[in-house]
């Protein structure tokens, strides 16, 4: 979704990010935004395209395993030290290493699953069912 330049409603941001309205309010209360959304005269939140980009990054960080507390630390660093990239870079490098380790573990797990599939397919092809669940090599 390309955000309009005038600002986004909480519903539009929820749709664009896949986060619920409740989650967006929670993120705001917990200090996960880089700045509080502006408000209309009626008190409705208005989000900027930058807020949307930030939330999309937060989603990627969460989806890749970064805890919300760590994302909040990341946001705090941006807010409190906007010209200091070293802390943010360190956090991202640490997370990158964790994601790479997770990828490697998943690749090993996938290989084990594929090995088991091949064994079962061979047993199914040949009609052999004896010891399929009891032989530890199987």
């Amino acid at each position: 979704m390309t955000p309009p330049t005038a600002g986004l409603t909480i519903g539009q941001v929820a749709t664009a990010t896949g986060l619920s309205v409740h989650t967006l309010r929670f993120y705001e209360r917990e200090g996960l935004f880089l700045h509080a959304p502006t408000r209309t005269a009626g008190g409705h939140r208005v989000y900027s395209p930058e807020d949307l980009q930030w939330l999309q990054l937060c989603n990627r960080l969460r989806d890749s395993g970064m805890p919300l507390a760590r994302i909040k630390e990341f946001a705090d660093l941006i807010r409190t030290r906007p010209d200091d990239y070293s802390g943010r870079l360190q956090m991202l490098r640490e997370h990158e290493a964790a994601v790479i380790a997770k990828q490697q573990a998943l690749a090993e797990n996938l290989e084990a699953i594929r090995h088991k599939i091949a064994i079962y397919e061979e047993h199914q092809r040949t009609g052999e069912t004896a010891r399929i669940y009891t032989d530890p090599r199987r």
Side-chain angles (χ1 to χ4, degrees), residues 75-89:
D76 288 342
L77 281 174
I78 294 170
R79 277 193 300 273
T80 60
R81 297 187 289 174
D83 296 327
D84 180 7
Y85 294 93
S86 61
R88 288 182 263 169
L89 188 55

Side-chain angles (χ1 to χ4, degrees), residues 1 27 104 128:
M1 167 181 179
Y27 277 20
Q104 290 169 342
E128 180 187 341

